[in-house]
Amino acid sequence: MGMAADAPAASSEDPPRRPVVALVLTGGGARSAYQIGVLRALAQMLPRARNPFQIIVGTSAGAVAASVLAAQAHVWRQAIVGLERVWSNFRTEQVFYVDSPHMVRSGLHWILSLLSGGLVLSPPKSLLDTSPLRALLGVEVDCSGIRRSIERGHLRACALCATSYASGQSVAFFDGLTQLPEWSRVQHVGRRAELTLDHIMASVAIPLLFAPMRLGSEYFGDGSMRQLNPLSPAIHLGADRLLILGVSSQQGSGVDGGRPPSMPTPGEVFGFMLDTLFTDQIYGDLEHIDRINQLVRAAPETRAVRHIETLMICPSVDPNELAARHIADLPRGLRALLRVFGGRLEVSGQQLTSYLAFEAPYTRELIGLGFRDAMRSREALLAFMSGEPPPALAGAPGLTQVS
C-alpha cells in the first residue's frame, strides 16, 4: 500500500528487515464484534507465533480491543479469548443505561432544559449515560499493561485516537519506544501519553450519544471525527504493513434499504452519519496510499515517502441485515428510543440499531461472520502477516488490498 506523504522516509542504505505490521481497529459501536471474529481466526492461523502486531492503533470502539491486545501483548491469544468472552455475552446495560427510570429521567431532563431555555436545568451532557461501560472497562482493561508490553519488547507502540473539541484536531495518544517522536500535521497530531481508561472513554465518546471526556485542559470526543487520515498514526509509528479491520460492508447501501423513496427519519439520518463517521475516511486514505505507492514505484529514488502495504477485511454481509434479525432481542428501553428516532424498527431502524445493539445474539453473529470471512481469506492473511506478497484477491469476500 502506499504511504502518507508525512511519514518518515526510509533510507536506501537501511539493511533489510522484517516488515513492521500494524493492526488498525476502526470504530463501529456494536459492529466491532466483527473484529473479534477476525482476530479469533488469526489466533487460530498463527498458533505458535509471538504477538504478530508490533503496532496497535484503535479508534472509538476499536480503542477498547486495541487496549486489551496491547496490555496483554505477551499473551495475545489469551487476550483475544477474553475479548470474545465479553463480546459474546454482551448486554446493552453493560454499555449504557436503558432501563425505564433512566430513560424517563433523561427524557424529562431534555424537555425541562428545552422549555426553560436552560434556566431550570442545564442541557444534558449526552443522550446516554455510559457509566456502565466505564465500570466494565475498569475491570476488563489493565491500561498499565501497555507500558509493560513496550518495556518488555512485546510491542513497539499503541495509539488511541480521539478528537479535541477545543482545537478540532484528531489526536493520536500513543505510548511506545522512546525513539518514536511526536508529530504535528494539518488537523492531526500525535501526543505521547501514559494511556489510561480516560483515553479509551474519550475515543469512544460518540457525539451527542456519549458525553465528552476531559483530558488535561481539553474535552475530547469520538476519534473518528475529523480523522481525515485514519491510517496515518500507524505509519508515523513505523509500520510497513497495515492490517485494517473494518465494520461496514463494501456493498452497504444508503438509508432507504431498497424501499420506495421516502423522507429519511432522524434515526436513519443519524445511522447514515455514523456510517460516514466510521467508514468513509478509511477508503479515502486507502486511495491516497495507493497514489503514493504508484509514485514510489514510478520514482524509486524518492526519499520523502516510503511504500506501505495494506490489507483491509470487512464484513461480507451488511451488518444492517444482521441487526434486523435481532430487534426483538433489544431491551425495551432501547427499542423505545430507536422508535422515537426512527419510527418502525423493522423498516427504518436497522442502520442505527446495528451500532447500538450491544446484545449477545447480535454480537455472536458478527463474531461468527468475522471468523468465517477471515478463514475464507486465510491464504491472503497468512502471506500478508509473514511479509510475503499477498496472492490475488479476486473474489475474496470483504478484502481490499493496496500494494
Side-chain angles (χ1 to χ4, degrees):
M1 208 102 274
M3 144 62 257
D6 53 14
S11 169
S12 60
E13 299 178 357
D14 290 341
R17 59 181 176 82
R18 186 176 180 84
V20 176
V21 181
L23 175 66
V24 179
L25 297 168
T26 64
R31 291 187 182 192
S32 295
Y34 175 84
Q35 300 171 336
I36 308 305
V38 177
L39 291 170
R40 190 184 98 190
L42 282 169
Q44 184 171 311
M45 293 178 201
L46 305 169
R48 291 179 295 275
R50 297 181 58 192
N51 170 37
F53 304 110
Q54 297 97 316
I55 298 167
I56 301 175
V57 178
T59 299
S60 194
V64 177
S67 302
V68 173
L69 291 171
Q72 302 182 52
H74 60 298
V75 287
W76 68 282
R77 291 180 204 80
Q78 181 177 318
I80 292 171
V81 170
L83 285 167
E84 184 177 6
R85 171 181 53 80
V86 172
W87 279 95
S88 295
N89 297 282
F90 241 136
R91 302 187 314 278
T92 304
E93 292 86 350
Q94 293 176 294
V95 181
F96 48 84
Y97 289 117
V98 289
D99 58 283
S100 297
H102 276 92
M103 300 302 287
V104 170
R105 192 156 49 242
S106 176
L108 290 175
H109 192 153
W110 280 98
I111 292 172
L112 288 175
S113 177
L114 178 64
L115 292 177
S116 68
L119 296 178
V120 175
L121 282 176
S122 60
K125 296 178 180 178
S126 61
L127 182 64
L128 301 172
D129 182 348
T130 56
S131 300
L133 176 60
R134 186 179 185 95
L136 176 67
L137 295 180
V139 173
E140 298 292 342
V141 184
D142 176 17
C143 290
S144 63
I146 299 174
R147 169 89 320 242
R148 289 196 298 272
S149 293
I150 296 166
E151 291 174 346
R152 296 173 183 177
H154 300 295
L155 190 69
R156 177 183 175 92
C158 174
L160 307 179
C161 301
T163 304
S164 169
Y165 283 112
S167 67
Q169 291 180 316
S170 174
V171 181
F173 295 99
F174 74 93
D175 195 359
L177 301 178
T178 56
Q179 63 264 35
L180 294 174
E182 295 185 336
W183 65 88
S184 179
R185 298 293 185 271
V186 176
Q187 292 300 330
H188 66 96
V189 300
R191 296 184 190 172
R192 182 176 286 275
E194 179 182 349
L195 299 176
T196 67
L197 180 56
D198 285 347
H199 292 93
I200 303 176
M201 293 302 295
S203 187
V204 304
I206 299 173
L208 297 181
L209 291 181
F210 300 167
M213 173 58 60
R214 182 170 181 172
L215 298 173
S217 60
E218 300 175 68
Y219 280 92
F220 289 83
D222 194 286
S224 299
M225 298 186 293
R226 307 300 294 271
Q227 197 179 39
L228 302 180
N229 302 103
L231 305 180
S232 179
I235 296 170
H236 275 290
L237 293 170
D240 302 303
R241 291 194 164 200
L242 312 180
L243 177 63
I244 307 146
L245 306 190
V247 297
S248 294
S249 169
Q250 295 179 5
Q251 292 76 40
S253 60
V255 300
D256 63 10
R259 305 192 318 270
S262 61
M263 176 69 72
T265 67
E268 288 178 315
V269 172
F270 194 48
F272 188 76
M273 289 172 58
L274 292 179
D275 263 355
T276 303
L277 187 70
F278 293 132
T279 302
D280 288 3
Q281 295 93 331
I282 285 285
Y283 289 110
D285 214 9
L286 285 172
E287 290 183 357
H288 175 65
I289 287 178
D290 187 32
R291 290 193 294 269
I292 296 297
N293 279 344
Q294 293 178 34
L295 172 63
V296 172
R297 286 194 294 269
E301 71 279 2
T302 303
R303 301 285 295 278
V305 293
R306 56 192 173 89
H307 186 276
I308 302 293
E309 293 264 359
T310 66
L311 186 67
M312 179 173 176
I313 183 167
C314 53
S316 59
V317 177
D318 191 340
N320 295 335
E321 296 179 20
L322 304 186
R325 303 173 192 169
H326 297 286
I327 289 174
D329 299 318
L330 302 180
R332 181 181 303 174
L334 181 56
R335 290 202 305 270
L337 176 65
L338 291 170
R339 285 195 191 95
V340 171
F341 273 127
R344 295 174 57 201
L345 295 183
E346 65 275 13
V347 174
S348 61
Q350 296 97 325
Q351 202 162 24
L352 183 55
T353 302
S354 70
Y355 288 104
L356 296 181
F358 291 93
E359 291 295 321
Y362 173 58
T363 57
R364 286 174 186 170
E365 191 165 1
L366 282 170
I367 291 171
L369 177 63
F371 181 83
R372 292 191 299 274
D373 284 352
M375 295 305 289
R376 282 197 294 262
S377 307
R378 179 187 181 97
E379 185 179 358
L381 284 168
L382 286 176
F384 188 83
M385 297 303 299
S386 66
E388 300 172 6
L393 299 181
L399 282 179
T400 300
Q401 180 184 353
V402 179
S403 60

